[in-house]
Amino acid sequence: MASTQLLVVKDKVQRYAKQFFNVINIDDDGDLRITYESTHVILQVVELDTSDPEIVEYRKDNDISVTVVNIFALVLFEVDVSNELYKWVATEGQNYDYGAFRIFIDSDNPKKCNVQYQYRIAGDNLDPGELKGALAAVAFTSDNEDDELQKMFGGKKWSDL
């Protein structure tokens, strides 16, 4: 069962995101999904691990957020795994002001992967400008970079599916 804090932050994220994008879908897990140009942005609100009582108490005593907003875009799918792709993700893919690129190996076909652009922010004290800035960074960067990355590494963009 979701904690009260998690539900509060999810509601806040939904309200703030609707101020920035007109069309937002909510999936069965409660994640927000936004199609922007040739990319697709997902917002997930998660609660940090609460299994260690000492860490829970430390967060509480030091006013540390217990929720994280994970904002990511599905940039490319079905990309051939290569040393060049790994190198690009590990170097150039980390050089953005907000967020970074990541790859996820396809569990059914380890020779293929998906490329995502991701940015995470603390959720408990989130303000509208912070979320809108993060959304803009992920949506605009992903849409701006997907064509070039597709030329370099192949694969399919969200808009190709």
Side-chain angles (χ1 to χ4, degrees):
M1 179 166 194
S3 73
T4 302
Q5 184 61 25
L6 181 67
L7 296 174
V8 166
V9 175
K10 279 188 171 195
D11 177 66
K12 190 180 343 182
V13 166
Q14 185 176 347
R15 284 185 287 113
Y16 295 167
K18 283 183 177 180
Q19 294 173 4
F20 196 61
F21 287 101
N22 293 328
V23 179
I24 295 175
N25 296 303
I26 302 173
D27 67 18
D28 293 340
D29 296 325
D31 300 334
L32 304 181
R33 295 179 167 267
I34 302 164
T35 298
Y36 176 75
E37 301 294 334
S38 62
T39 194
H40 190 72
V41 178
I42 298 172
L43 290 90
Q44 297 174 323
V45 181
V46 296
E47 193 164 37
L48 297 176
D49 183 17
T50 59
S51 63
D52 185 336
E54 287 182 34
I55 293 175
V56 170
E57 190 64 30
Y58 181 82
R59 287 183 189 131
K60 183 179 177 184
D61 291 345
N62 292 283
D63 195 28
I64 296 173
S65 182
V66 298
T67 60
V68 174
V69 182
N70 184 22
I71 306 163
F72 63 96
L74 306 169
V75 180
L76 292 176
F77 299 87
E78 300 176 13
V79 179
D80 290 332
V81 173
S82 68
N83 289 337
E84 293 79 18
L85 176 61
Y86 278 122
K87 181 179 178 183
W88 186 90
V89 168
T91 56
E92 295 177 50
Q94 304 301 305
N95 287 333
Y96 290 81
D97 292 333
Y98 298 97
F101 282 89
R102 299 175 61 185
I103 62 171
F104 293 89
I105 303 297
D106 185 336
S107 59
D108 295 329
N109 182 359
K111 294 182 180 185
K112 296 284 187 181
C113 67
N114 298 327
V115 178
Q116 291 183 357
Y117 186 73
Q118 180 177 356
Y119 183 53
R120 290 181 173 174
I121 51 180
D124 290 6
N125 297 311
L126 185 66
D127 66 55
E130 184 179 19
L131 182 70
K132 291 175 191 177
L135 271 171
V138 171
F140 300 164
T141 300
S142 299
D143 181 54
N144 288 336
E145 299 294 334
D146 61 3
D147 292 322
E148 189 63 31
L149 292 173
Q150 188 178 42
K151 288 177 193 171
M152 292 167 55
F153 303 112
K156 298 176 183 174
K157 297 183 291 187
W158 176 262
S159 60
D160 296 335
L161 300 177

